[in-house]
Amino acid sequence: GAGVSQTPSNKVTEKGKYVELRCDPISGHTALYWYRQSLGQGPEFLIYFQGTGAADDSGLPNDRFFAVRPEGSVSTLKIQRTERGDSAVYLCASSAGTGGNEQFFGPGTRLTVL
Amino acid sequence: TQLLEQSPQFLSIQEGENLTVYCNSSSVFSSLQWYRQEPGEGPVLLVTVVTGGEVKKLKRLTFQFGDARKDSSLHITAAQPGDTGLYLCAGETETGFQKLVFGTGTRLLVSP
């Protein structure tokens, strides 16, 4: 079956612009996670959805970052007024639910803010 | 803030050599996972260790969780070029894998 997919694979934008990054989780997975991976670092947790609701958004760095999952499937990470420091690979993962289920990661979206 | 430090950060070895990667923290984790990540792809889970002192083997890879559940190690025997990649440890902060804390990563290069 299909794995987690993310679009676009690469996004180049200018400082101050708005961007949206999309994640399509594995069908039937109720939990969805967003992480950010800077060059040479491990992924850093941003937000976790259980169904349609954000169960934990403690990793979002500031109010320029927002994520939605309106129908409990596809999720969109939105970044307003992008800054050069936002440049990173944004990873999405999904799992079958809580209780120790494996997280399956997508290939990521590489965001470059010029 | 819970941090997981990995060492070494980079390792370049010849095919057939053995190596050990360490993952250390001052925090206790309910479980610890090891991932491998290749360029342009997301991390892929290798193993999860849950019990302090637990040892798990996956072919030539041996994983150990420290007795106090604060540290872990990954040992590779007779490394092969196919083992090349970024190895990441990740701690589960609370039961249910709701939020993983990833280590800083160890980049392994195995040359033929």
Side-chain angles (χ1 to χ4, degrees), chain A residues 1-26:
Chain A
V4 178
S5 62
Q6 292 186 245
T7 54
S9 55
N10 281 283
K11 176 71 177 179
V12 180
T13 190
E14 295 180 341
K15 179 184 172 185
K17 298 291 187 181
Y18 168 82
V19 296
E20 289 189 351
L21 311 179
R22 175 186 169 110
C23 172
D24 282 82
I26 292 173

Side-chain angles (χ1 to χ4, degrees), chain A residues 33 35 37 40 42-43 45 56 58 99-103 105-107, chain B residues 35 37 40-43 45 86 88 96-100 102-104:
Chain A
Y33 311 78
Y35 295 85
Q37 187 172 23
F45 171 82
D56 185 342
S58 62
N101 290 290
E102 178 181 351
Q103 293 185 28
F105 284 82
Chain B
Y35 291 81
Q37 184 177 23
E41 299 180 8
L45 180 67
L86 178 67
L88 296 159
F97 294 125
Q98 293 172 359
K99 184 162 72 176
L100 293 176
F102 277 87
T104 47

